[in-house]
Amino acid sequence: MIQSLIVVFVLTMIIHTAETLSYSARYAGVKLNKIAVALSLTGIIVLVSRTSNLVQAPLTGKFVDYAKVDPSFDVLTYFRAILLAASIGTIVAIALFPTFVNLFSRIISKLEVAGSIPKLVSSVTIGQLKNTRHYIRKPNLKWSQFRYFGVPKRFILLNIVVTAFYTVGVLASLYAAHLVPQYSTMASQASGLINGIATIILTIFIDPQLGLITDKATRNEEARDQLGKVYTMLMVSRFFGTMLAQLVIIPAAYVISEIVKWI
C-alpha cells in the first residue's frame, strides 16, 4: 500500500500544483492584454490535472477495498497524507508563480507566431528549453501585499471554504464508503454532495468577483500591477483551504454516510 500511497501523493501534488498555477497563466494574459489566449492555456492546465485525477481516483479507492480485507488498515491516515500532498502542491505552485508568469508570457507570445499548440510544441528547440532558466524568479511574499485591491475578507474566506470542499470531496465520499460498507457503492459516488455545494459558492460568489477584478486590471495599468498580488493572496487562501480540508474530512464523511442511509 505504501507504493500506491506514494503514487497518489505525487499525483495529488501535480493536480493541485497545476490548478493553482492556472493563476499564473491568467496573470500573464492580463499583462500582455491577451486574456483569451491565456484562458485557452488555462484549459490545458486543467486538462493536465484532470488526467492525473483519472489515475489518482481509482488508486485512492483501492485503500478502501484493502481496508475491507484488513480491518487494521488505517484508511484515515492515508487520506490525511493525500490531503497533505494537496497542501504541498499548492505551496509549490506559490513558489513557482513568478517563474511561470514569465514562462506563460513567453508561451503566449510564441503561440501568436505559431498559430496553434501543436506547431508551438514542434517549434521548441533544446536551446530554448535551456534558456528557460533565465525566466526563473524567486517568490517575494510580504504581508503588506495582502492589503491590495480592496478585496473583501468574505471573498477570501469563501475561497478557503470552496477549496476545502473541492479538496475533500472525493476522499470524504470514499471514507463514507468505509464507514458504511453496506452502502459503499452509493457512498463512493456521493462526492457530488460536497463538490456541489462548492460549485454553487464558486459560481455565484467567487467567479463573478474574480472576473470583475481581472476586467478592472485589463483597463487600468496600476490595477494590472497589483493583480499579481491578488492572485498570490488567492493562492495562499487555497493553501489554507487544503489545510481546512483536514478538519472537514471526518464531518463531511459522516454527513454523506447519513445521507446515503436515508436515501
Side-chain angles (χ1 to χ4, degrees):
M1 285 296 105
I2 293 297
Q3 289 182 342
S4 296
L5 177 61
I6 292 172
V7 173
V8 174
F9 192 96
V10 172
L11 288 172
T12 303
M13 281 183 58
I14 292 172
I15 290 168
H16 284 266
T17 300
E19 289 181 350
T20 307
L21 281 175
S22 65
Y23 288 123
S24 62
R26 293 187 182 188
Y27 185 41
V30 172
K31 289 180 69 177
L32 296 175
N33 201 24
K34 301 184 186 302
I35 189 64
V37 179
L39 290 176
S40 68
L41 291 176
T42 301
I44 296 173
I45 296 172
V46 172
L47 178 63
V48 171
S49 66
R50 288 179 180 175
T51 303
S52 299
N53 192 54
L54 289 175
V55 181
Q56 181 225 36
L59 288 176
T60 307
K62 182 179 179 181
F63 300 140
V64 177
D65 292 336
Y66 186 78
K68 294 178 182 179
V69 179
D70 183 4
S72 64
F73 180 70
D74 192 352
V75 176
L76 184 59
T77 298
Y78 274 60
F79 283 178
R80 291 198 183 281
I82 295 170
L83 291 175
L84 178 61
S87 300
I88 294 174
T90 306
I91 291 176
V92 170
I94 294 172
L96 294 176
F97 178 72
T99 297
F100 270 79
V101 169
N102 290 333
L103 286 174
F104 278 121
S105 296
R106 184 62 175 166
I107 289 172
I108 291 172
S109 299
K110 285 283 188 180
L111 183 57
E112 276 195 304
V113 177
S116 67
I117 294 296
K119 288 183 179 179
L120 174 64
V121 173
S122 62
S123 67
V124 175
T125 64
I126 300 297
Q128 289 175 334
L129 291 176
K130 290 180 178 180
N131 286 335
T132 56
R133 67 180 185 273
H134 298 301
Y135 298 101
I136 296 175
R137 297 291 184 274
K138 293 181 181 179
N140 184 23
L141 295 177
K142 296 180 180 178
W143 287 111
S144 60
Q145 73 185 56
F146 299 115
R147 296 196 298 268
Y148 278 88
F149 228 67
V151 178
K153 294 179 181 178
R154 182 182 64 181
F155 178 69
I156 301 302
L157 290 174
L158 283 174
N159 196 49
I160 293 174
V161 172
V162 167
T163 302
F165 282 176
Y166 269 126
T167 303
V168 85
V170 174
L171 294 178
S173 64
L174 289 173
Y175 190 56
H178 172 68
L179 295 174
V180 284
Q182 65 274 30
Y183 302 106
S184 60
T185 302
M186 186 186 298
S188 65
Q189 299 299 314
S191 61
L193 295 173
I194 302 297
N195 290 345
I197 298 173
T199 301
I200 293 171
I201 297 174
L202 179 69
T203 304
I204 297 176
F205 297 104
I206 294 182
D207 276 352
Q209 182 76 35
L210 184 58
L212 289 171
I213 292 172
T214 304
D215 184 63
K216 182 179 179 181
T218 58
R219 293 181 283 105
N220 186 303
E221 186 173 348
E222 182 181 354
R224 189 178 304 174
D225 294 335
Q226 295 174 352
L227 185 62
K229 299 179 177 65
V230 173
Y231 282 151
T232 302
M233 180 170 56
L234 290 174
M235 289 188 292
V236 171
S237 69
R238 280 180 64 95
F239 167 74
F240 284 115
T242 61
M243 296 300 294
L244 179 62
Q246 297 278 2
L247 300 177
V248 171
I249 183 171
I250 293 178
Y254 276 101
V255 168
I256 291 174
S257 63
E258 291 301 319
I259 290 175
V260 297
K261 285 179 185 178
W262 179 75
I263 295 175

